[in-house]
Amino acid sequence: MMSNKLVLKIFIGIVVLVLLSLITIRIVVEPLILRKIQSAVNENNKDFIVKIGKVHLSVFSSELELKNITISTKPEQNGIQDINGEVEFIRLNGIHFRKAIFKIDIEISKVTVFNSSIKGSIPFAEKAMPPKISSLNIQIDSLFLDKTNLKVKNTLTAQAFSAKDGVLKIYHLQVQKLDTLSAFMVKQFDFNVQEFQSVSADSMYTN
């Protein structure tokens, strides 16, 4: 039978180990993840700069949260387009860390994008080439965009649209390696918006 002193030592050792793990995650791992994600997003993006204010990682619950995200137009794009965006946080639940770390696949149970706002003007190309989304296979069981606000104008015409407090729910999102953005990726979705306005290209029609 273990003595009380031995039990106490084991308990203290476990507590110290947990605390060290948490400190390591906060000081080393989270800043590294922030830099990796920010670099990956911006590396092949010629139009916009994405900045992440803070990253919080919970290994025990397989959760990653990105906070205070901003999107802005690169200086060399000024005069062509002007976009400014803010996202309060993006939360990813049920991440398959092993596959993500070894760059096999990305599997996530739930993604929540909360309180996002995008405003500005961009040229609406008639035959825009859809961008490639990822070099890995991506599977997301549910994607939830809550309190989404958009106000975008076409720099080439009078066309514009705005949406206030939109809520978008996408289920069973699957993206194959090197896929381009397509509606066929979405198997099921729900979309609600409190207020929606649009202006036609010749400014004759407003909804």
Side-chain angles (χ1 to χ4, degrees), residues 66 86-91 111-117 144-148:
L66 316 177
E86 296 180 353
V87 181
E88 187 171 329
F89 69 77
I90 299 176
R91 182 180 296 131
V111 176
T112 303
V113 182
F114 181 75
N115 197 13
S116 58
S117 174
F144 182 35
L145 284 79
D146 191 14
K147 295 188 67 176
T148 301

Coordinates of all heavy atoms in Angstrom, one line a residue, residues 66 86-91 111-117 144-148:
L66 N -9.4 30.8 -33.5 CA -8.7 32.0 -34.0 C -9.5 33.2 -33.7 O -10.7 33.3 -34.0 CB -8.5 31.8 -35.5 CG -8.1 30.4 -36.0 CD1 -8.0 30.5 -37.6 CD2 -6.8 30.0 -35.5
E86 N -13.5 41.9 -40.9 CA -13.2 41.6 -39.6 C -14.0 40.3 -39.2 O -15.2 40.2 -39.5 CB -13.5 42.7 -38.6 CG -12.7 44.0 -38.8 CD -13.1 45.1 -37.9 OE1 -14.1 44.9 -37.1 OE2 -12.4 46.1 -37.8
V87 N -13.4 39.4 -38.4 CA -14.1 38.3 -37.9 C -13.7 38.2 -36.4 O -12.6 38.2 -36.0 CB -13.7 37.0 -38.6 CG1 -14.4 35.8 -38.0 CG2 -13.9 37.1 -40.1
E88 N -14.8 38.1 -35.5 CA -14.5 38.1 -34.1 C -13.8 36.8 -33.7 O -12.8 36.9 -33.0 CB -15.8 38.2 -33.3 CG -15.6 38.3 -31.8 CD -16.9 38.7 -31.1 OE1 -17.8 39.3 -31.7 OE2 -17.1 38.2 -29.9
F89 N -14.3 35.7 -34.2 CA -13.5 34.4 -34.0 C -14.0 33.3 -34.9 O -15.1 33.4 -35.4 CB -13.6 33.9 -32.5 CG -15.0 33.4 -32.1 CD1 -15.4 32.2 -32.5 CD2 -15.8 34.2 -31.3 CE1 -16.7 31.7 -32.1 CE2 -17.0 33.7 -30.9 CZ -17.5 32.5 -31.3
I90 N -13.1 32.4 -35.2 CA -13.4 31.2 -35.9 C -13.0 30.0 -34.9 O -11.9 29.9 -34.5 CB -12.6 31.1 -37.2 CG1 -12.9 32.2 -38.1 CG2 -12.9 29.7 -37.9 CD1 -12.1 32.2 -39.4
R91 N -14.0 29.2 -34.6 CA -13.7 28.1 -33.7 C -13.9 26.7 -34.5 O -14.8 26.5 -35.2 CB -14.7 28.1 -32.6 CG -14.5 27.0 -31.5 CD -15.5 27.0 -30.4 NE -15.3 28.3 -29.7 CZ -16.3 29.1 -29.3 NH1 -17.6 28.8 -29.7 NH2 -16.1 30.2 -28.6
V111 N -17.2 23.8 -37.6 CA -16.5 25.1 -37.7 C -17.5 26.2 -37.5 O -18.6 26.2 -38.2 CB -15.8 25.3 -39.1 CG1 -15.2 26.7 -39.2 CG2 -14.7 24.2 -39.3
T112 N -17.2 27.1 -36.6 CA -18.1 28.2 -36.3 C -17.4 29.6 -36.6 O -16.3 29.8 -36.1 CB -18.6 28.3 -34.9 OG1 -19.2 27.0 -34.5 CG2 -19.5 29.4 -34.6
V113 N -18.0 30.4 -37.5 CA -17.5 31.7 -37.8 C -18.4 32.7 -37.2 O -19.6 32.8 -37.7 CB -17.3 31.9 -39.3 CG1 -16.7 33.3 -39.6 CG2 -16.4 30.8 -39.9
F114 N -18.0 33.5 -36.3 CA -18.9 34.3 -35.5 C -18.6 35.8 -35.7 O -17.5 36.3 -35.7 CB -18.9 34.0 -34.0 CG -19.8 34.9 -33.2 CD1 -21.2 34.6 -33.2 CD2 -19.3 35.9 -32.4 CE1 -22.0 35.3 -32.4 CE2 -20.2 36.7 -31.7 CZ -21.6 36.4 -31.7
N115 N -19.7 36.6 -36.0 CA -19.6 38.0 -36.1 C -18.6 38.5 -37.1 O -17.6 39.1 -36.7 CB -19.4 38.6 -34.7 CG -19.7 40.1 -34.6 OD1 -20.4 40.6 -35.5 ND2 -19.2 40.8 -33.6
S116 N -18.9 38.2 -38.4 CA -18.0 38.6 -39.4 C -18.6 39.8 -40.2 O -19.8 39.9 -40.4 CB -17.7 37.5 -40.4 OG -18.8 36.9 -40.9
S117 N -17.7 40.7 -40.7 CA -18.1 41.8 -41.5 C -17.1 42.1 -42.6 O -15.9 42.2 -42.4 CB -18.2 43.1 -40.6 OG -18.5 44.2 -41.3
F144 N -20.8 26.7 -39.7 CA -21.8 27.6 -39.2 C -21.3 29.1 -39.2 O -20.4 29.4 -38.5 CB -22.2 27.2 -37.8 CG -23.3 28.0 -37.2 CD1 -24.4 28.5 -38.0 CD2 -23.3 28.3 -35.8 CE1 -25.4 29.3 -37.4 CE2 -24.4 29.0 -35.2 CZ -25.4 29.6 -36.0
L145 N -21.9 29.9 -40.0 CA -21.6 31.3 -40.1 C -22.7 32.1 -39.4 O -23.8 32.2 -39.9 CB -21.3 31.8 -41.5 CG -20.0 31.4 -42.2 CD1 -20.1 30.0 -42.7 CD2 -19.7 32.4 -43.3
D146 N -22.4 32.7 -38.3 CA -23.4 33.4 -37.5 C -23.1 34.9 -37.5 O -21.9 35.3 -37.4 CB -23.4 32.9 -36.1 CG -24.6 33.4 -35.3 OD1 -25.6 33.9 -35.9 OD2 -24.6 33.3 -34.1
K147 N -24.1 35.7 -37.6 CA -24.0 37.2 -37.6 C -23.0 37.7 -38.7 O -22.0 38.3 -38.4 CB -23.6 37.7 -36.3 CG -24.7 37.5 -35.2 CD -24.3 38.2 -33.9 CE -24.4 39.7 -34.0 NZ -24.1 40.4 -32.8
T148 N -23.3 37.3 -40.0 CA -22.5 37.7 -41.1 C -23.0 38.9 -41.8 O -24.2 39.0 -42.1 CB -22.4 36.5 -42.1 OG1 -21.9 35.4 -41.5 CG2 -21.5 36.9 -43.3

